[in-house]
Amino acid sequence: MSVASQSPRRPAGVFCRRLAGVWSDLIQRHPRIVLSVLVAALGLAGLTSIPPVDRDEPLFAEAAREMLESGRFSDIRFEHAPLYDKPILSYWAQAASAAVFGTSARGQIGVYRLPSVIAIWLATLLTYGLGATLFDRRIGLQAGLLLASSVMVQSQAHQARADALLLATMLGVLYPLARLYMARDAPAGRQPMFVIALFWASLAAAILTKGPVVPALVLLTILALSVADRQSRWLVGLQPRWGIPLFLLILMPWPIAEFRLHGATFFVQVWQGDILPKLVSNDLSHGAPPLSYALLAPLTLWPITLLLPAVMESGWRARREMAVRFCVASIVPGWLLFELAPTKLPHYVMPLIPPLAVLAAAGAGSRLPSASRNSVRIGCVLFGVAGSLIVTAIPWALAKLGNGLDPLAAFGTLAIVVLMGLAASAAWRGRLAAALGTAAACGMLTSLVVFAVVIPRLQRLWLTERTAAVVGTIASPDAAVWVVGYREPSLVFLLGPRTRFVDAGQAVAGLETDRNAVAIVASPAIPEFAKAAAADSLRLQCVAAIDGIDSVHARALELDVWRLSP
């Protein structure tokens, strides 16, 4: 063949191959750096542009701010009243984050969300360690990518709540447990001290985050493994002689301080008002029958949904392998517990996603027995249906709650659809490794579009933020704000301690006493408010009417801003 007849190399093809080689080398040499960069990009996108999400998030953030401003770091308060909701660690983390950024940043919700991003980063790295311990580093990396790509996980990274920290503490307990279990038959099975210390410290931190959730899940895992193996000698490796004192040293200072302040009131109120109702009733109307989580799994576990049926089949067939047994023991008993509990919220099963991601990565990496073609194709269908619901929700939400689908959102939605098709096509043809990577990329892109582009533009959903902006333009920063018929903590976070939730008569009296004050009145309370004003012969002026959606109760609502007539 002559030289002239040889086809020249295409520069674009050479560049793509070199770029792919650099990416592959970076992943193999520095997987933790790759995961860290991806988690940072996903977590920080939209972190400051999404307003406070009622009701839990501003409750946490405002309590952390009040803790920071009062200097009482062992006491949890909202509007100076004791808050009997969750233990202390989430509030400490958020207060510390706000302190780092200074006084001027204390009114910005993003600084209180940053600990959740850090917690998801730690959870992702620990998921990598879990997969590497049970299988190998490649499986660990893929499991970390799947966890980071989960839309549900990213939803918690974008909120100043306790659930992201709970996930990190769960993995801080699970990872050392996996190392001990996998080394139980090895001659040198003793683990380094820092691994055992991580177990006990994470267990204490989990209790300080959300009470008994993680201890219950870990206890179920240990019981399942002990029954399956008919022995539990490997648990001696937890070194309880010094581990339990370390656990108590971390756990006990705050309960002791809280007991000295309020006696047993906090612990009784948390048990009666938060933990017990979730176990015996539909707490806050968040009830659902058993199997609800299973029916919602294709949506809540997306994009892992693509491999979910295949993983269930392969995991069952390989259940006698130690690594698979550990994953199954850390998923199934906890899932059954959540199914049986009357109170259900979609994110409650989030601590079970990491071992599920490890199993999915192992199945795609041919570390488990091959699943049947039917299981794989069922996964493709479920992945497509759940993904279609997500993709359809984007233009629907922008049309109903925002200003319509703009070019950026449209391009992002189209890219999600293309990646979904590529992932499902690869899985349908049996190329599970390629399907896993594409599904993870699809989940990450979906998180970027949803949290950085779509949610900040749903103006009708951000009723409180728009109302607070109006109040900021017509009232001085120290003017009292009386709120009637609407009791959401986001108003307190956005407007500060001058906010007071009162009835119509108290609001009218407050406006009569202070001419600089304003009142925010929800539309259902307008007749009562007008009647109270007429009774006092008070002339009031409605300066703004903000209509939108009350996200807590999912209803249309109008908030009117009133003040004395000039």
Side-chain angles (χ1 to χ4, degrees):
M1 182 182 294
S2 63
V3 175
S5 65
Q6 294 179 2
S7 59
R9 293 185 177 181
R10 296 180 180 178
V14 173
F15 174 77
C16 289
R17 284 194 295 271
R18 288 180 178 175
L19 185 62
V22 170
W23 175 250
S24 177
D25 184 66
L26 182 63
I27 286 178
Q28 291 178 6
R29 291 176 179 269
H30 306 288
R32 293 182 180 88
I33 294 178
V34 172
L35 290 172
S36 299
V37 171
L38 289 174
V39 170
L42 293 170
L44 296 179
L47 195 72
T48 58
S49 58
I50 300 175
V53 180
D54 279 311
R55 170 171 301 154
D56 289 349
E57 182 181 46
L59 201 64
F60 272 91
E62 177 61 24
R65 179 166 65 179
E66 291 185 19
M67 180 183 292
L68 189 61
E69 292 175 348
S70 68
R72 301 178 65 178
F73 293 102
S74 60
D75 199 12
I76 307 170
R77 291 179 174 269
F78 179 79
E79 288 198 299
H80 309 292
L83 182 60
Y84 304 118
D85 189 27
K86 298 290 187 296
I88 195 75
L89 190 57
S90 299
Y91 304 99
W92 278 346
Q94 292 176 24
S97 177
V100 168
F101 286 92
T103 305
S104 60
R106 292 180 185 176
Q108 300 174 15
I109 191 63
V111 301
Y112 300 95
R113 289 171 175 162
L114 191 57
S116 294
V117 177
I118 296 173
I120 296 302
W121 168 64
L122 292 174
T124 303
L125 295 184
L126 287 168
T127 300
Y128 164 78
L130 182 66
T133 298
L134 296 174
F135 293 97
D136 56 43
R137 293 178 61 190
R138 181 172 60 88
I139 301 300
L141 174 65
Q142 293 173 341
L145 289 173
L146 282 177
L147 180 73
S149 70
S150 169
V151 177
M152 183 165 65
V153 170
Q154 289 303 324
S155 72
Q156 299 307 311
H158 286 79
Q159 294 188 62
R161 295 171 53 178
D163 297 280
L165 189 56
L166 183 78
L167 179 64
T169 57
M170 176 70 184
L171 279 156
V173 175
L174 210 58
Y175 168 61
L177 209 62
R179 289 189 54 155
L180 277 173
Y181 184 71
M182 295 301 291
R184 67 176 192 177
D185 298 327
R190 189 182 183 89
Q191 296 298 315
M193 183 177 291
F194 79 89
V195 174
I196 307 304
L198 176 63
F199 174 89
W200 292 107
S202 298
L203 191 63
I207 296 173
L208 290 174
T209 300
K210 219 168 181 181
V213 177
V214 167
L217 294 176
V218 173
L219 181 60
L220 288 173
T221 300
I222 291 174
L223 288 174
L225 290 172
S226 300
V227 171
D229 296 338
R230 298 181 182 178
Q231 62 97 358
S232 55
R233 292 189 301 273
W234 58 278
L235 291 172
V236 177
L238 289 175
Q239 304 292 326
R241 285 183 298 179
W242 62 267
I244 292 178
L246 175 64
F247 165 78
L248 295 175
L249 182 66
I250 297 172
L251 174 64
M252 293 309 296
W254 174 70
I256 292 173
E258 183 66 29
F259 189 82
R260 292 179 64 182
L261 280 173
H262 302 295
T265 305
F266 178 89
F267 309 102
V268 172
Q269 291 288 342
V270 167
W271 175 257
Q272 292 181 346
D274 186 58
I275 298 174
L276 188 60
K278 289 181 171 61
L279 297 176
V280 300
S281 64
N282 299 339
D283 187 35
L284 300 176
S285 300
H286 295 153
L291 298 181
S292 297
Y293 286 120
L295 294 174
L296 288 175
L299 191 61
T300 55
L301 300 179
W302 198 85
I304 302 176
T305 309
L306 181 62
L307 302 175
L308 190 58
V311 164
M312 292 171 64
E313 180 187 345
S314 300
W316 175 254
R317 291 167 60 186
R319 62 189 181 277
R320 290 184 173 83
E321 295 183 17
M322 288 180 62
V324 176
R325 185 179 300 176
F326 184 88
C327 290
V328 171
S330 58
I331 297 170
V332 175
W335 194 286
L336 293 175
L337 176 66
F338 288 129
E339 291 283 15
L340 293 175
T343 301
K344 291 180 174 65
L345 285 172
H347 64 272
Y348 281 0
V349 297
M350 193 170 67
L352 310 179
I353 292 182
L356 189 59
V358 170
L359 275 183
S366 301
R367 295 298 300 271
L368 300 180
S370 299
S372 65
R373 181 175 298 182
N374 288 336
S375 294
V376 174
R377 292 185 173 180
I378 290 172
C380 293
V381 173
L382 293 176
F383 176 77
V385 171
S388 298
L389 290 175
I390 295 172
V391 168
T392 305
I394 291 175
W396 181 88
L398 287 170
K400 294 291 185 180
L401 304 174
N403 296 320
L405 190 66
D406 57 34
L408 184 59
F411 177 78
T413 305
L414 179 61
I416 293 170
V417 172
V418 171
L419 282 177
M420 281 175 52
L422 292 175
S425 175
W428 193 273
R429 289 177 290 160
R431 299 173 55 198
L432 296 186
L436 181 146
T438 311
C442 184
M444 292 179 187
L445 178 61
T446 302
S447 293
L448 287 174
V449 172
V450 168
F451 298 110
V453 179
V454 176
I455 293 181
R457 304 184 187 190
L458 304 181
Q459 296 302 320
R460 282 181 55 79
L461 199 62
W462 309 125
L463 182 61
T464 299
E465 186 199 35
R466 291 159 55 213
T467 304
V470 170
V471 172
T473 61
I474 66 172
S476 60
D478 56 347
V481 179
W482 309 97
V483 185
V484 182
Y486 187 74
R487 299 184 62 87
E488 298 305 333
S490 56
L491 271 179
V492 181
F493 179 80
L494 292 170
L495 294 174
R498 57 181 174 156
T499 311
R500 294 289 182 270
F501 298 113
V502 295
D503 60 29
Q506 291 171 316
V508 169
L511 291 175
E512 188 174 12
T513 303
D514 181 4
R515 298 192 62 87
N516 294 320
V518 297
I520 299 173
V521 185
S523 49
I526 290 294
E528 183 184 0
F529 181 74
K531 182 179 179 181
D536 285 1
S537 301
L538 198 64
R539 296 182 60 189
L540 300 176
Q541 176 187 13
C542 179
V543 296
I546 303 97
D547 69 305
I549 302 295
D550 177 5
S551 58
V552 175
H553 301 98
R555 60 176 180 174
L557 188 68
E558 180 180 288
L559 296 180
D560 296 345
V561 182
W562 295 77
R563 65 180 178 184
L564 283 177
S565 297

